[in-house]
Amino acid sequence: DGGITQSPKYLFRKEGQNVTLSCEQNLNHDAMYWYRQDPGQGLRLIYYSQIVNDFQKGDIAEGYSVSREKKESFPLTVTSAQKNPTAFYLCASTLQGTYNQPQHFGDGTRLSIL
Amino acid sequence: GQQVMQIPQYQHVQEGEDFTTYCNSSTTLSNIQWYKQRPGGHPVFLIQLVKSGEVKKQKRLTFQFGEAKKNSSLHITATQTTDVGTYFCAGGNTPLVFGKGTRLSVIA
């Protein structure tokens, strides 16, 4: 079955530590997205990539970094500069990076601070 | 940046009652998408509306896109416990802008 795989499901970060969240898709989709979800805040866009080796900042990119070296993979690093990283992180993809494409989501990663 | 406002934030209904959530944008939207997120799950795409005044139905769910393409609604007739979750609208621009969602609770 095609889909999006996010790992790990749960992640704990110590202060001053960088952590990387994995997102892999086998849907052959061009575009991939990272969202942060906090209670009552909906989905806020962190970064998105419409094509390999290119990505753009979303609304809340500060304290995060991404890479898109392969079409299938779009890892997100939560750096120590992100002072409030506790949240539910969702990765999504679309067939193309245009506005009329349904988004397919992974199961998410819950990040907490130790 | 563009914002998509969604109301109400929460809705509690008795099973069998109807439910409606509303989505509004300050600017014209090229399209609107609706998603459902079950508790503990991830958002799942429900439908996309593109045309002004468009109405689409999926069983007990009715989706509308306003004439000015600035608002949309999702109406559920005779809610069931399986309808529990958070419903999000998302405005069709690149990138997509999500509303904050309406959390629906259904009391059996």
Side-chain angles (χ1 to χ4, degrees), chain B residues 91-107:
Chain B
N93 289 296
T94 301
L96 212 58
V97 177
F98 281 82
K100 292 188 177 182
T102 296
R103 183 181 296 179
L104 173 63
S105 299
V106 179
I107 305 164

PDB file of all heavy atoms in Angstrom, chain B residues 91-107:
ATOM      1  N   GLY B  91      -8.152  26.608   2.709  1.00  0.00           N
ATOM      2  CA  GLY B  91      -8.305  27.471   1.549  1.00  0.00           C
ATOM      3  C   GLY B  91      -7.309  27.131   0.483  1.00  0.00           C
ATOM      4  O   GLY B  91      -6.128  26.910   0.766  1.00  0.00           O
ATOM      5  N   GLY B  92      -7.777  27.090  -0.759  1.00  0.00           N
ATOM      6  CA  GLY B  92      -6.958  26.633  -1.869  1.00  0.00           C
ATOM      7  C   GLY B  92      -6.009  27.657  -2.432  1.00  0.00           C
ATOM      8  O   GLY B  92      -6.299  28.329  -3.406  1.00  0.00           O
ATOM      9  N   ASN B  93      -4.890  27.796  -1.806  1.00  0.00           N
ATOM     10  CA  ASN B  93      -3.800  28.569  -2.381  1.00  0.00           C
ATOM     11  C   ASN B  93      -2.522  27.755  -2.180  1.00  0.00           C
ATOM     12  O   ASN B  93      -2.516  26.794  -1.439  1.00  0.00           O
ATOM     13  CB  ASN B  93      -3.651  29.932  -1.702  1.00  0.00           C
ATOM     14  CG  ASN B  93      -4.794  30.851  -2.067  1.00  0.00           C
ATOM     15  OD1 ASN B  93      -4.964  31.214  -3.212  1.00  0.00           O
ATOM     16  ND2 ASN B  93      -5.592  31.199  -1.094  1.00  0.00           N
ATOM     17  N   THR B  94      -1.469  28.124  -2.802  1.00  0.00           N
ATOM     18  CA  THR B  94      -0.207  27.420  -2.593  1.00  0.00           C
ATOM     19  C   THR B  94       0.677  28.260  -1.694  1.00  0.00           C
ATOM     20  O   THR B  94       1.133  29.316  -2.118  1.00  0.00           O
ATOM     21  CB  THR B  94       0.501  27.164  -3.930  1.00  0.00           C
ATOM     22  OG1 THR B  94      -0.363  26.400  -4.753  1.00  0.00           O
ATOM     23  CG2 THR B  94       1.797  26.414  -3.720  1.00  0.00           C
ATOM     24  N   PRO B  95       0.976  27.872  -0.462  1.00  0.00           N
ATOM     25  CA  PRO B  95       0.479  26.643   0.142  1.00  0.00           C
ATOM     26  C   PRO B  95      -0.931  26.772   0.715  1.00  0.00           C
ATOM     27  O   PRO B  95      -1.425  27.877   0.900  1.00  0.00           O
ATOM     28  CB  PRO B  95       1.483  26.398   1.271  1.00  0.00           C
ATOM     29  CG  PRO B  95       1.912  27.772   1.667  1.00  0.00           C
ATOM     30  CD  PRO B  95       1.913  28.585   0.408  1.00  0.00           C
ATOM     31  N   LEU B  96      -1.545  25.626   0.995  1.00  0.00           N
ATOM     32  CA  LEU B  96      -2.897  25.581   1.549  1.00  0.00           C
ATOM     33  C   LEU B  96      -2.918  26.219   2.933  1.00  0.00           C
ATOM     34  O   LEU B  96      -1.986  26.049   3.723  1.00  0.00           O
ATOM     35  CB  LEU B  96      -3.295  24.116   1.662  1.00  0.00           C
ATOM     36  CG  LEU B  96      -4.748  23.720   1.484  1.00  0.00           C
ATOM     37  CD1 LEU B  96      -5.264  24.153   0.132  1.00  0.00           C
ATOM     38  CD2 LEU B  96      -4.891  22.211   1.652  1.00  0.00           C
ATOM     39  N   VAL B  97      -3.976  26.969   3.245  1.00  0.00           N
ATOM     40  CA  VAL B  97      -4.136  27.593   4.553  1.00  0.00           C
ATOM     41  C   VAL B  97      -5.282  26.896   5.275  1.00  0.00           C
ATOM     42  O   VAL B  97      -6.419  26.915   4.792  1.00  0.00           O
ATOM     43  CB  VAL B  97      -4.418  29.098   4.421  1.00  0.00           C
ATOM     44  CG1 VAL B  97      -4.646  29.713   5.801  1.00  0.00           C
ATOM     45  CG2 VAL B  97      -3.269  29.793   3.707  1.00  0.00           C
ATOM     46  N   PHE B  98      -4.991  26.309   6.446  1.00  0.00           N
ATOM     47  CA  PHE B  98      -6.001  25.577   7.206  1.00  0.00           C
ATOM     48  C   PHE B  98      -6.683  26.474   8.234  1.00  0.00           C
ATOM     49  O   PHE B  98      -6.042  27.336   8.857  1.00  0.00           O
ATOM     50  CB  PHE B  98      -5.347  24.408   7.948  1.00  0.00           C
ATOM     51  CG  PHE B  98      -5.084  23.208   7.095  1.00  0.00           C
ATOM     52  CD1 PHE B  98      -3.954  23.152   6.288  1.00  0.00           C
ATOM     53  CD2 PHE B  98      -5.957  22.141   7.085  1.00  0.00           C
ATOM     54  CE1 PHE B  98      -3.709  22.054   5.486  1.00  0.00           C
ATOM     55  CE2 PHE B  98      -5.721  21.032   6.289  1.00  0.00           C
ATOM     56  CZ  PHE B  98      -4.597  20.988   5.485  1.00  0.00           C
ATOM     57  N   GLY B  99      -7.982  26.254   8.421  1.00  0.00           N
ATOM     58  CA  GLY B  99      -8.671  26.848   9.552  1.00  0.00           C
ATOM     59  C   GLY B  99      -8.282  26.106  10.821  1.00  0.00           C
ATOM     60  O   GLY B  99      -7.622  25.067  10.766  1.00  0.00           O
ATOM     61  N   LYS B 100      -8.715  26.642  11.981  1.00  0.00           N
ATOM     62  CA  LYS B 100      -8.346  26.024  13.250  1.00  0.00           C
ATOM     63  C   LYS B 100      -9.190  24.807  13.582  1.00  0.00           C
ATOM     64  O   LYS B 100      -8.888  24.079  14.526  1.00  0.00           O
ATOM     65  CB  LYS B 100      -8.425  27.051  14.375  1.00  0.00           C
ATOM     66  CG  LYS B 100      -7.367  28.135  14.256  1.00  0.00           C
ATOM     67  CD  LYS B 100      -7.339  29.032  15.481  1.00  0.00           C
ATOM     68  CE  LYS B 100      -6.213  30.045  15.354  1.00  0.00           C
ATOM     69  NZ  LYS B 100      -6.113  30.917  16.547  1.00  0.00           N
ATOM     70  N   GLY B 101     -10.244  24.582  12.833  1.00  0.00           N
ATOM     71  CA  GLY B 101     -11.028  23.374  13.018  1.00  0.00           C
ATOM     72  C   GLY B 101     -12.196  23.537  13.971  1.00  0.00           C
ATOM     73  O   GLY B 101     -12.210  24.436  14.829  1.00  0.00           O
ATOM     74  N   THR B 102     -13.181  22.675  13.817  1.00  0.00           N
ATOM     75  CA  THR B 102     -14.312  22.570  14.745  1.00  0.00           C
ATOM     76  C   THR B 102     -14.316  21.156  15.305  1.00  0.00           C
ATOM     77  O   THR B 102     -14.373  20.189  14.545  1.00  0.00           O
ATOM     78  CB  THR B 102     -15.654  22.832  14.041  1.00  0.00           C
ATOM     79  OG1 THR B 102     -15.684  24.175  13.565  1.00  0.00           O
ATOM     80  CG2 THR B 102     -16.813  22.589  15.001  1.00  0.00           C
ATOM     81  N   ARG B 103     -14.216  21.076  16.649  1.00  0.00           N
ATOM     82  CA  ARG B 103     -14.221  19.763  17.286  1.00  0.00           C
ATOM     83  C   ARG B 103     -15.646  19.365  17.599  1.00  0.00           C
ATOM     84  O   ARG B 103     -16.347  20.066  18.338  1.00  0.00           O
ATOM     85  CB  ARG B 103     -13.395  19.783  18.564  1.00  0.00           C
ATOM     86  CG  ARG B 103     -13.301  18.412  19.244  1.00  0.00           C
ATOM     87  CD  ARG B 103     -12.496  18.469  20.516  1.00  0.00           C
ATOM     88  NE  ARG B 103     -11.112  18.817  20.261  1.00  0.00           N
ATOM     89  CZ  ARG B 103     -10.197  18.956  21.214  1.00  0.00           C
ATOM     90  NH1 ARG B 103     -10.531  18.787  22.475  1.00  0.00           N
ATOM     91  NH2 ARG B 103      -8.961  19.276  20.906  1.00  0.00           N
ATOM     92  N   LEU B 104     -16.084  18.247  17.058  1.00  0.00           N
ATOM     93  CA  LEU B 104     -17.445  17.756  17.244  1.00  0.00           C
ATOM     94  C   LEU B 104     -17.460  16.596  18.244  1.00  0.00           C
ATOM     95  O   LEU B 104     -16.734  15.612  18.071  1.00  0.00           O
ATOM     96  CB  LEU B 104     -18.020  17.283  15.910  1.00  0.00           C
ATOM     97  CG  LEU B 104     -19.377  16.585  15.966  1.00  0.00           C
ATOM     98  CD1 LEU B 104     -20.461  17.537  16.473  1.00  0.00           C
ATOM     99  CD2 LEU B 104     -19.757  16.011  14.606  1.00  0.00           C
ATOM    100  N   SER B 105     -18.288  16.754  19.273  1.00  0.00           N
ATOM    101  CA  SER B 105     -18.551  15.662  20.211  1.00  0.00           C
ATOM    102  C   SER B 105     -19.992  15.232  20.043  1.00  0.00           C
ATOM    103  O   SER B 105     -20.886  16.078  19.928  1.00  0.00           O
ATOM    104  CB  SER B 105     -18.323  16.122  21.653  1.00  0.00           C
ATOM    105  OG  SER B 105     -16.996  16.524  21.852  1.00  0.00           O
ATOM    106  N   VAL B 106     -20.240  13.940  20.040  1.00  0.00           N
ATOM    107  CA  VAL B 106     -21.585  13.409  19.875  1.00  0.00           C
ATOM    108  C   VAL B 106     -21.927  12.581  21.103  1.00  0.00           C
ATOM    109  O   VAL B 106     -21.224  11.609  21.420  1.00  0.00           O
ATOM    110  CB  VAL B 106     -21.705  12.550  18.609  1.00  0.00           C
ATOM    111  CG1 VAL B 106     -23.114  11.989  18.492  1.00  0.00           C
ATOM    112  CG2 VAL B 106     -21.330  13.357  17.376  1.00  0.00           C
ATOM    113  N   ILE B 107     -22.985  12.968  21.771  1.00  0.00           N
ATOM    114  CA  ILE B 107     -23.403  12.285  23.002  1.00  0.00           C
ATOM    115  C   ILE B 107     -24.479  11.265  22.638  1.00  0.00           C
ATOM    116  O   ILE B 107     -25.520  11.619  22.094  1.00  0.00           O
ATOM    117  CB  ILE B 107     -23.946  13.305  24.021  1.00  0.00           C
ATOM    118  CG1 ILE B 107     -22.904  14.389  24.277  1.00  0.00           C
ATOM    119  CG2 ILE B 107     -24.339  12.597  25.318  1.00  0.00           C
ATOM    120  CD1 ILE B 107     -23.453  15.610  24.952  1.00  0.00           C
TER     121      ILE B 107
END
